[in-house]
Amino acid sequence: MVKSPIVGTFYAAPTVGGEPFVTVGSRVEAGQALCIIEAMKLMNEIESDVAGEVVRVFVENGQPVEYGEALFGIHPHRKK
Amino acid sequence: MFRKILIANRGEIALRILSACRELGIRTVAVYSEADRHALHVRFADEAICIGPPRSSESYLNIPQVISAAEIANVDAIHPGYGFLSENANFAEVCEASHITFIGPTPDAIRLMGEKDKAKEAMAAAGIPVIPGSAGVVPDEDSAKKIAREIGYPVMIKAAEGGGGRGMRVVHSAKELIPLFRTARTEAEQAFGSPNVYMEKLIERPRHIEFQVLGDKHGNVVHLGERECSLQRRHQKVLEESPSVAVDANTRQRLGEQVVEALKKIGYSSAGTMEFLREGSGNLYFIEMNARIQVEHPVTEMVTDVDLVKSQIRVAAGEKLTSVLPVVEFRGHAIECRINAEDPITFTPSAGKVTAFRVPGGPGIRVDTACYADAVIPPYYDSLIAKLISYGHDRAEAIVRMQRALDGFVVEGVKTTIPLHKRILADPNFVAGKFDTHFLEHMTAVETK
């Protein structure tokens, strides 16, 4: 589970109308950007702390989020 | 008038501001830390936004989080309450820059009052009596003698860079002066790396008296009388009342007018409190100003019948004092007991789950609280769980009402200061109005023996 570390506005894509960073089914690496949270006019990239597969997106583009709000469900890859 | 206000606080003051907003028809946004998920301010606000983990430095004191919450909720003003960000000039500036009204004085006024020396200088220049003393550092022994003679013994020597009692000496007579001046300098040098000391008159048996004021954004200021706050423990107020038995009608009017004139000069534009020390002989000296609404504001509300929080919001929205407070009249007497979740003898905080909570009521009783049965008092914030306020036609009636209300106030699961208040209310010296800021020290010292 990836939770929002800050209060702000959630953006799924790096640019308005652009392709989202990730969608359900995306495979992500640890440290990969998942979304942007805008707070006080600053764009903060939120990164994944695990490698795995995105299984859920809990929020919608442009939605306000609070501290600790669930953003993504990520199913981690099993370690070899 | 504002459409929507964010309340950047928690506990009883957040609920107090919520009530004021409800009565003014303003929508409310609560912010909360993860420890306050089940707090009443979260439940009763129109919207609530979690802004961080329990530690206040990461939540209630976190300016970017609070401002972000204000922006996503699209509020037009922020009420900071007391404590937390209420006297943070930088926060007030960030609000301004974000086009959000900060419900409080201007950043400049907050900054001035935050620097105690400058505040004292500004108030002295505006005609307010301040504690007589050296204007700055005492350069040498000859000047020390001269200054001490001018202000009169006993005097206090204090380290200019210091605090906490080090480099501090009380001098009772001229023959003690030079040796004590030397030891104070040596101690200051050792403790703070600078031998600089200043000198001021020692206020013996002081009472803490403060004046409530309210200014608008059009240059008008009124005072709402005084509060007596001498019952303190380690500079924390425990019980407050209004009026003070030590302030007569002439003093109230004269000093009240001086305070109003001084604050007009600096353009003070919100609720605030001017704190004074009263020496045994009756002289009052300015010590500092609190540029915010205070914990003990209800006693003033009871004796003036003025809603200070609503008034503060209305002046912040630009209304004139003439429409907010056309007249201020005083009647009766009010007392406030701060009920803290603390051991009543050792004063150690007592966090935990409240298992029973029964609030007293009846004529002349008001309780401001955010506590309830099954609430958990988190260990991260201050220990105030309720303010019990009594009102009577005179002080005697306020006292007996407070006594019966304390007897009917039940809190189980955590220790509280209710037993301490019962002892204060039963003390013959308290009842007679004979006390100073050392009263509680003496009372609790006798008990621990």
Side-chain angles (χ1 to χ4, degrees):
Chain A
M1 184 86 83
V2 178
K3 293 179 174 178
S4 179
I6 50 173
V7 178
T9 306
F10 173 87
Y11 294 112
T15 53
V16 177
E19 282 296 306
F21 287 99
V22 293
T23 52
V24 170
S26 299
R27 293 188 173 270
V28 295
E29 297 300 323
Q32 184 179 331
L34 300 173
C35 66
I36 284 172
I37 307 279
E38 181 190 351
M40 295 182 74
K41 318 272 182 280
L42 284 176
M43 300 299 174
N44 304 276
E45 280 194 358
I46 308 302
E47 298 171 351
S48 178
D49 44 11
V50 292
E53 183 185 337
V54 177
V55 291
R56 269 196 81 173
V57 181
F58 293 99
V59 282
E60 282 174 33
N61 192 39
Q63 178 189 324
V65 292
E66 60 182 358
Y67 174 86
E69 187 161 338
L71 304 176
F72 299 97
I74 296 182
H75 188 73
H77 286 314
R78 250 184 242 140
K79 286 212 178 89
K80 278 173 193 165
Chain B
M1 182 47 73
F2 304 118
R3 187 177 40 80
K4 200 177 187 185
I5 288 178
L6 181 139
I7 300 162
N9 216 300
R10 64 181 301 280
E12 67 85 21
I13 193 65
L15 287 188
R16 174 71 190 84
I17 299 161
L18 263 166
S19 309
C21 291
R22 280 286 290 274
E23 290 178 27
L24 291 168
I26 300 169
R27 288 180 62 77
T28 51
V29 179
V31 293
Y32 63 99
S33 77
E34 286 179 320
D36 280 337
R37 199 165 285 282
H38 303 290
L40 291 186
H41 72 285
V42 176
R43 187 184 305 187
F44 293 148
D46 294 310
E47 293 168 45
I49 299 171
C50 181
I51 53 164
R55 281 167 55 113
S56 34
S57 59
E58 295 170 51
S59 49
Y60 296 105
L61 287 170
N62 187 326
I63 295 176
Q65 295 285 64
V66 173
I67 297 288
S68 289
E71 286 183 340
I72 64 171
N74 193 21
V75 301
D76 33 27
I78 295 181
H79 197 306
Y82 52 66
F84 295 131
L85 296 170
S86 61
E87 287 172 286
N88 185 319
N90 177 38
F91 177 64
E93 265 166 7
V94 175
C95 288
E96 262 181 21
S98 310
H99 307 290
I100 298 165
T101 304
F102 173 80
I103 301 176
T106 60
D108 285 346
I110 298 174
R111 204 162 273 133
L112 173 68
M113 293 311 168
E115 291 176 40
K116 308 297 171 205
D117 289 2
K118 284 192 184 157
K120 234 176 112 173
E121 236 171 72
M123 285 300 126
I128 298 290
V130 298
I131 298 177
S134 58
V137 172
V138 182
D140 52 46
E141 293 174 8
D142 284 340
S143 329
K145 281 187 203 163
K146 187 166 162 277
I147 295 163
R149 205 177 320 122
E150 278 169 16
I151 62 182
Y153 289 95
V155 298
M156 177 100 95
I157 303 171
K158 287 182 182 174
E161 325 275 320
R166 297 177 75 186
M168 208 187 259
R169 285 291 179 279
V170 174
V171 187
H172 291 280
S173 67
K175 66 173 189 292
E176 292 176 356
L177 179 67
I178 298 305
L180 289 174
F181 182 71
R182 286 178 188 157
T183 46
R185 279 175 60 92
T186 313
E187 217 176 278
E189 167 100 71
Q190 283 163 357
F192 312 110
S194 154
N196 287 347
V197 293
Y198 66 98
M199 198 188 279
E200 64 184 32
K201 190 174 168 66
L202 174 73
I203 309 297
E204 293 181 287
R205 289 175 291 110
R207 294 177 84 119
H208 178 117
I209 309 272
E210 58 185 32
F211 274 76
Q212 175 69 52
V213 299
L214 185 68
D216 67 13
K217 293 182 170 176
H218 309 275
N220 307 300
V221 179
V222 289
H223 79 86
L224 294 101
E226 82 283 0
R227 291 185 288 259
E228 162 82 63
C229 307
S230 299
L231 268 59
Q232 306 183 354
R233 186 185 165 272
R234 293 197 183 154
H235 302 288
Q236 293 294 313
K237 294 165 189 166
V238 170
L239 179 150
E240 303 95 345
E241 55 184 311
S242 184
S244 166
V245 296
V247 175
D248 60 35
N250 281 337
T251 310
R252 180 173 307 117
Q253 197 189 343
R254 180 177 47 80
L255 196 57
E257 279 169 14
Q258 281 179 306
V259 161
V260 164
E261 287 314 310
L263 292 176
K264 277 182 186 168
K265 277 183 197 156
I266 65 158
Y268 195 80
S269 59
S270 184
T273 300
M274 294 275 282
E275 297 193 335
F276 292 85
L277 280 186
R278 178 191 184 277
E279 65 178 349
S281 61
N283 293 321
L284 284 122
Y285 302 108
F286 171 79
I287 44 174
E288 64 174 50
M289 179 171 199
N290 296 311
R292 58 162 193 272
I293 191 79
Q294 280 192 291
V295 175
E296 61 271 26
H297 75 273
V299 292
T300 299
E301 295 189 318
M302 299 300 269
V303 297
T304 55
D305 206 17
V306 166
D307 186 320
L308 279 168
V309 179
K310 275 204 297 197
S311 306
Q312 187 191 21
I313 294 170
R314 290 174 63 187
V315 294
E319 274 191 65
K320 285 188 174 170
L321 272 182
T322 43
S323 69
V324 177
L325 290 181
V327 282
V328 177
E329 284 170 331
F330 306 97
R331 84 262 182 286
H333 197 99
I335 301 175
E336 171 184 277
C337 291
R338 297 192 188 193
I339 314 295
N340 292 344
E342 278 172 9
D343 184 298
I345 294 167
T346 63
F347 297 100
T348 47
S350 174
K353 188 170 185 171
V354 176
T355 52
F357 193 73
R358 190 268 173 189
V359 169
I365 295 298
R366 163 176 169 183
V367 183
D368 283 18
T369 182
C371 194
Y372 56 94
D374 290 336
V376 174
I377 312 291
Y380 311 101
Y381 315 111
D382 79 53
S383 59
L384 182 76
I385 55 166
K387 302 190 309 203
L388 175 58
I389 303 115
S390 74
Y391 173 82
H393 295 297
D394 54 20
R395 189 168 184 266
E397 190 180 44
I399 288 175
V400 292
R401 279 182 168 165
M402 183 60 88
Q403 286 175 317
R404 64 114 174 123
L406 285 166
D407 287 340
F409 203 150
V410 180
V411 183
E412 283 170 15
V414 294
K415 290 180 180 174
T416 74
T417 49
I418 291 173
L420 170 74
H421 286 293
K422 288 181 182 172
R423 291 197 297 275
I424 296 171
L425 272 288
D427 188 290
N429 285 320
F430 173 76
V431 173
K434 288 184 199 151
F435 50 81
D436 56 47
T437 55
H438 303 298
F439 176 88
L440 271 183
E441 232 169 87
H442 296 316
M443 194 181 94
T444 50
V446 170
E447 275 161 14
T448 42
K449 262 174 201 166

Short mmCIF file of all heavy atoms in Angstrom, two decimals, chain B residues 188-217:
data_model
loop_
_atom_site.label_atom_id
_atom_site.label_comp_id
_atom_site.label_asym_id
_atom_site.label_seq_id
_atom_site.Cartn_x
_atom_site.Cartn_y
_atom_site.Cartn_z
N ALA B 188 27.44 34.74 34.66
CA ALA B 188 26.90 34.96 33.31
C ALA B 188 27.96 34.61 32.27
O ALA B 188 27.68 33.96 31.26
CB ALA B 188 26.44 36.40 33.14
N GLU B 189 29.21 35.03 32.54
CA GLU B 189 30.32 34.75 31.64
C GLU B 189 30.50 33.24 31.47
O GLU B 189 30.61 32.73 30.36
CB GLU B 189 31.61 35.37 32.23
CG GLU B 189 32.89 34.91 31.57
CD GLU B 189 33.40 35.93 30.56
OE1 GLU B 189 33.85 36.98 31.01
OE2 GLU B 189 33.34 35.65 29.35
N GLN B 190 30.48 32.52 32.61
CA GLN B 190 30.68 31.07 32.57
C GLN B 190 29.52 30.36 31.89
O GLN B 190 29.72 29.45 31.10
CB GLN B 190 30.84 30.52 34.00
CG GLN B 190 32.22 30.78 34.56
CD GLN B 190 32.27 30.61 36.08
OE1 GLN B 190 31.24 30.34 36.70
NE2 GLN B 190 33.44 30.79 36.64
N ALA B 191 28.30 30.79 32.19
CA ALA B 191 27.14 30.08 31.69
C ALA B 191 26.81 30.44 30.24
O ALA B 191 26.41 29.58 29.47
CB ALA B 191 25.93 30.34 32.58
N PHE B 192 26.96 31.70 29.89
CA PHE B 192 26.46 32.14 28.58
C PHE B 192 27.55 32.75 27.70
O PHE B 192 27.27 33.23 26.61
CB PHE B 192 25.32 33.15 28.75
CG PHE B 192 24.28 32.68 29.74
CD1 PHE B 192 24.15 33.30 30.98
CD2 PHE B 192 23.46 31.61 29.45
CE1 PHE B 192 23.20 32.86 31.90
CE2 PHE B 192 22.52 31.16 30.36
CZ PHE B 192 22.39 31.78 31.59
N GLY B 193 28.79 32.78 28.20
CA GLY B 193 29.91 33.29 27.40
C GLY B 193 29.93 34.79 27.29
O GLY B 193 30.70 35.34 26.49
N SER B 194 29.08 35.48 28.06
CA SER B 194 29.09 36.94 28.04
C SER B 194 28.80 37.44 29.46
O SER B 194 27.86 36.97 30.09
CB SER B 194 28.02 37.46 27.09
OG SER B 194 27.60 38.76 27.49
N PRO B 195 29.65 38.36 29.96
CA PRO B 195 29.44 38.84 31.33
C PRO B 195 28.36 39.92 31.42
O PRO B 195 28.13 40.48 32.50
CB PRO B 195 30.81 39.41 31.70
CG PRO B 195 31.35 39.90 30.40
CD PRO B 195 30.82 38.99 29.32
N ASN B 196 27.70 40.22 30.30
CA ASN B 196 26.74 41.32 30.30
C ASN B 196 25.53 41.04 31.19
O ASN B 196 24.91 39.99 31.08
CB ASN B 196 26.25 41.60 28.88
CG ASN B 196 27.32 42.29 28.05
OD1 ASN B 196 28.32 42.76 28.60
ND2 ASN B 196 27.13 42.31 26.75
N VAL B 197 25.25 42.00 32.06
CA VAL B 197 24.07 41.88 32.90
C VAL B 197 23.25 43.18 32.82
O VAL B 197 23.78 44.23 32.47
CB VAL B 197 24.44 41.63 34.40
CG1 VAL B 197 25.09 40.26 34.56
CG2 VAL B 197 25.33 42.72 34.96
N TYR B 198 21.97 43.07 33.10
CA TYR B 198 21.13 44.27 33.23
C TYR B 198 20.46 44.23 34.59
O TYR B 198 20.59 43.26 35.34
CB TYR B 198 20.15 44.40 32.06
CG TYR B 198 19.08 43.33 31.99
CD1 TYR B 198 17.81 43.56 32.51
CD2 TYR B 198 19.34 42.11 31.38
CE1 TYR B 198 16.82 42.59 32.44
CE2 TYR B 198 18.37 41.14 31.31
CZ TYR B 198 17.11 41.37 31.83
OH TYR B 198 16.13 40.42 31.76
N MET B 199 19.80 45.30 34.91
CA MET B 199 19.26 45.40 36.27
C MET B 199 17.83 45.90 36.20
O MET B 199 17.50 46.76 35.40
CB MET B 199 20.12 46.42 37.02
CG MET B 199 20.00 46.35 38.53
SD MET B 199 20.84 47.73 39.27
CE MET B 199 22.53 47.21 39.24
N GLU B 200 16.95 45.29 37.01
CA GLU B 200 15.61 45.87 37.12
C GLU B 200 15.08 45.75 38.54
O GLU B 200 15.61 45.01 39.36
CB GLU B 200 14.65 45.26 36.08
CG GLU B 200 14.38 43.80 36.22
CD GLU B 200 13.49 43.26 35.10
OE1 GLU B 200 13.53 43.74 33.96
OE2 GLU B 200 12.74 42.31 35.38
N LYS B 201 14.05 46.51 38.79
CA LYS B 201 13.46 46.52 40.12
C LYS B 201 12.85 45.15 40.40
O LYS B 201 12.22 44.55 39.54
CB LYS B 201 12.36 47.59 40.16
CG LYS B 201 11.81 47.87 41.53
CD LYS B 201 10.84 49.05 41.43
CE LYS B 201 10.03 49.21 42.68
NZ LYS B 201 10.87 49.59 43.84
N LEU B 202 13.07 44.64 41.63
CA LEU B 202 12.47 43.36 42.01
C LEU B 202 11.03 43.61 42.45
O LEU B 202 10.77 44.46 43.31
CB LEU B 202 13.25 42.72 43.15
CG LEU B 202 12.63 41.44 43.72
CD1 LEU B 202 12.79 40.28 42.75
CD2 LEU B 202 13.23 41.08 45.07
N ILE B 203 10.11 42.89 41.81
CA ILE B 203 8.70 43.03 42.20
C ILE B 203 8.42 41.98 43.27
O ILE B 203 8.45 40.78 43.00
CB ILE B 203 7.76 42.83 40.99
CG1 ILE B 203 8.18 43.71 39.81
CG2 ILE B 203 6.31 43.10 41.39
CD1 ILE B 203 8.11 45.19 40.06
N GLU B 204 8.15 42.45 44.48
CA GLU B 204 7.90 41.51 45.58
C GLU B 204 6.42 41.18 45.67
O GLU B 204 5.58 42.03 45.43
CB GLU B 204 8.40 42.12 46.89
CG GLU B 204 9.92 42.24 46.89
CD GLU B 204 10.44 42.81 48.19
OE1 GLU B 204 10.27 44.03 48.43
OE2 GLU B 204 11.01 42.04 48.97
N ARG B 205 6.14 39.96 46.05
CA ARG B 205 4.77 39.45 46.16
C ARG B 205 3.91 39.90 44.97
O ARG B 205 2.86 40.52 45.13
CB ARG B 205 4.12 39.90 47.48
CG ARG B 205 4.72 39.20 48.70
CD ARG B 205 4.17 39.72 50.00
NE ARG B 205 4.61 41.07 50.30
CZ ARG B 205 3.84 42.16 50.28
NH1 ARG B 205 2.58 42.06 49.99
NH2 ARG B 205 4.34 43.34 50.57
N PRO B 206 4.35 39.57 43.73
CA PRO B 206 3.61 40.08 42.57
C PRO B 206 2.30 39.33 42.32
O PRO B 206 2.18 38.15 42.63
CB PRO B 206 4.58 39.80 41.41
CG PRO B 206 5.36 38.62 41.85
CD PRO B 206 5.48 38.71 43.35
N ARG B 207 1.35 40.05 41.79
CA ARG B 207 0.15 39.42 41.25
C ARG B 207 0.23 39.57 39.75
O ARG B 207 0.72 40.57 39.24
CB ARG B 207 -1.12 40.12 41.78
CG ARG B 207 -1.31 39.95 43.27
CD ARG B 207 -2.53 40.71 43.75
NE ARG B 207 -3.74 39.95 43.55
CZ ARG B 207 -4.55 39.57 44.55
NH1 ARG B 207 -4.27 39.88 45.80
NH2 ARG B 207 -5.66 38.90 44.30
N HIS B 208 -0.28 38.55 39.05
CA HIS B 208 -0.30 38.60 37.59
C HIS B 208 -1.69 39.08 37.16
O HIS B 208 -2.68 38.41 37.40
CB HIS B 208 -0.02 37.20 37.03
CG HIS B 208 -0.08 37.11 35.54
ND1 HIS B 208 1.00 36.78 34.77
CD2 HIS B 208 -1.10 37.33 34.68
CE1 HIS B 208 0.64 36.80 33.49
NE2 HIS B 208 -0.62 37.13 33.41
N ILE B 209 -1.71 40.26 36.55
CA ILE B 209 -2.97 40.86 36.11
C ILE B 209 -2.85 41.11 34.61
O ILE B 209 -1.82 41.58 34.15
CB ILE B 209 -3.21 42.23 36.80
CG1 ILE B 209 -3.04 42.11 38.31
CG2 ILE B 209 -4.54 42.84 36.37
CD1 ILE B 209 -4.24 41.75 39.10
N GLU B 210 -3.89 40.80 33.86
CA GLU B 210 -3.81 41.03 32.41
C GLU B 210 -5.08 41.67 31.89
O GLU B 210 -6.16 41.48 32.44
CB GLU B 210 -3.54 39.70 31.68
CG GLU B 210 -4.60 38.64 31.94
CD GLU B 210 -4.28 37.29 31.31
OE1 GLU B 210 -3.09 36.95 31.21
OE2 GLU B 210 -5.23 36.59 30.93
N PHE B 211 -4.92 42.47 30.84
CA PHE B 211 -6.05 43.16 30.22
C PHE B 211 -6.39 42.52 28.87
O PHE B 211 -5.51 42.33 28.04
CB PHE B 211 -5.75 44.65 30.01
CG PHE B 211 -6.07 45.48 31.22
CD1 PHE B 211 -5.23 45.46 32.32
CD2 PHE B 211 -7.22 46.27 31.26
CE1 PHE B 211 -5.53 46.22 33.45
CE2 PHE B 211 -7.53 47.03 32.38
CZ PHE B 211 -6.68 47.00 33.47
N GLN B 212 -7.65 42.20 28.67
CA GLN B 212 -8.12 41.70 27.39
C GLN B 212 -8.40 42.88 26.47
O GLN B 212 -9.04 43.85 26.88
CB GLN B 212 -9.41 40.89 27.57
CG GLN B 212 -10.06 40.42 26.28
CD GLN B 212 -9.24 39.34 25.58
OE1 GLN B 212 -8.87 38.35 26.20
NE2 GLN B 212 -8.94 39.54 24.30
N VAL B 213 -7.90 42.79 25.24
CA VAL B 213 -8.17 43.86 24.27
C VAL B 213 -8.68 43.26 22.97
O VAL B 213 -8.50 42.07 22.70
CB VAL B 213 -6.91 44.70 23.96
CG1 VAL B 213 -6.39 45.38 25.21
CG2 VAL B 213 -5.83 43.85 23.32
N LEU B 214 -9.33 44.11 22.19
CA LEU B 214 -9.74 43.73 20.85
C LEU B 214 -9.59 44.96 19.95
O LEU B 214 -10.08 46.04 20.29
CB LEU B 214 -11.19 43.23 20.85
CG LEU B 214 -11.70 42.68 19.52
CD1 LEU B 214 -11.01 41.37 19.15
CD2 LEU B 214 -13.21 42.45 19.56
N GLY B 215 -8.87 44.78 18.84
CA GLY B 215 -8.70 45.86 17.88
C GLY B 215 -9.33 45.47 16.56
O GLY B 215 -9.48 44.29 16.28
N ASP B 216 -9.71 46.47 15.75
CA ASP B 216 -10.21 46.16 14.41
C ASP B 216 -9.19 46.62 13.37
O ASP B 216 -8.12 47.10 13.71
CB ASP B 216 -11.61 46.75 14.19
CG ASP B 216 -11.61 48.28 14.15
OD1 ASP B 216 -10.53 48.90 14.05
OD2 ASP B 216 -12.72 48.87 14.25
N LYS B 217 -9.56 46.48 12.09
CA LYS B 217 -8.62 46.84 11.02
C LYS B 217 -8.77 48.29 10.59
O LYS B 217 -8.32 48.69 9.53
CB LYS B 217 -8.83 45.89 9.82
CG LYS B 217 -8.42 44.46 10.15
CD LYS B 217 -8.58 43.52 8.96
CE LYS B 217 -7.94 42.17 9.28
NZ LYS B 217 -8.14 41.19 8.20
#
